[in-house]
Amino acid sequence: MQGSRPDRLYLEDLHVGQRFTSATHTVDEAQIKTFAAQFDPQPFHLDEAAASDTLFKGLAASGWHTAAVTMRLNVETGLPFAGGLIGAGGDITWPAPTRPGDTLRVESEVVEIIPSRSKPDRGIAVVVSQTINQRNEVVQILKAKLVIARKPG
């Protein structure tokens, strides 16, 4: 991972259209196979020869591996939200596979801000995060509802 963490932001600091870009992470073959062996043990994530005969036409990371890398990038350098990244739901798609050697970054945009009516200490920010490889191919799109703290006092 490369990059640094900006100051923590509260709900009042956010605006629709605000953008964030994470540092990068390179996914190698060993990471793909290790993750798959533990969490998604399918042949196209574990074996190059088996993967060549699938719709992936080669070894591909599990979508859940891509999601886990996305989460780490957002937590460490992407989304600087006070109180952390607390999910309240979302939608995820994987328009292209993550391959060995891909260097991923996450580009996120705030698309909606919803102050809570019943809990004045927080609100929801809807954030769309695109995980993009070094060829500028989008490998994941995550539209997440995140619980964001309001400024204390």
Side-chain angles (χ1 to χ4, degrees):
M1 301 271 176
Q2 304 166 356
S4 63
R5 187 78 193 175
D7 291 332
R8 302 290 179 186
L9 301 176
Y10 292 90
L11 193 69
E12 296 83 356
D13 300 319
L14 302 179
H15 62 271
V16 171
Q18 195 167 11
R19 298 171 86 52
F20 303 90
T21 301
S22 76
T24 61
H25 177 79
T26 301
V27 178
D28 63 30
E29 183 177 321
Q31 290 172 30
I32 289 171
K33 290 179 177 181
T34 298
F35 185 95
Q38 188 167 7
F39 299 108
D40 192 355
Q42 298 187 76
F44 40 82
H45 301 318
L46 293 166
D47 180 84
E48 297 89 345
S52 67
D53 292 331
T54 69
L55 71 100
F56 293 111
K57 305 291 185 221
L59 193 67
S62 167
W64 301 113
H65 186 181
T66 301
V69 170
T70 299
M71 186 66 182
R72 181 174 173 191
L73 287 169
N74 271 337
V75 166
E76 291 185 349
T77 64
L79 297 174
F81 299 156
L85 302 183
I86 302 168
D91 296 306
I92 191 167
T93 58
W94 296 285
T98 297
R99 304 282 188 183
D102 277 356
T103 298
L104 305 179
R105 72 182 183 281
V106 183
E107 296 182 1
S108 300
E109 181 178 1
V110 177
V111 297
E112 188 175 3
I113 298 169
I114 309 161
S116 175
R117 287 184 248 175
S118 62
K119 295 184 171 81
D121 64 333
R122 69 190 80 161
I124 297 287
V126 180
V127 177
V128 175
S129 294
Q130 293 191 354
T131 307
I132 302 166
N133 66 22
Q134 73 280 6
R135 293 178 300 281
N136 288 319
E137 298 167 335
V138 176
V139 297
Q140 179 182 287
I141 302 167
L142 171 63
K143 184 176 184 179
K145 293 177 181 179
L146 301 174
V147 179
I148 310 293
R150 286 182 168 271
K151 288 184 180 176

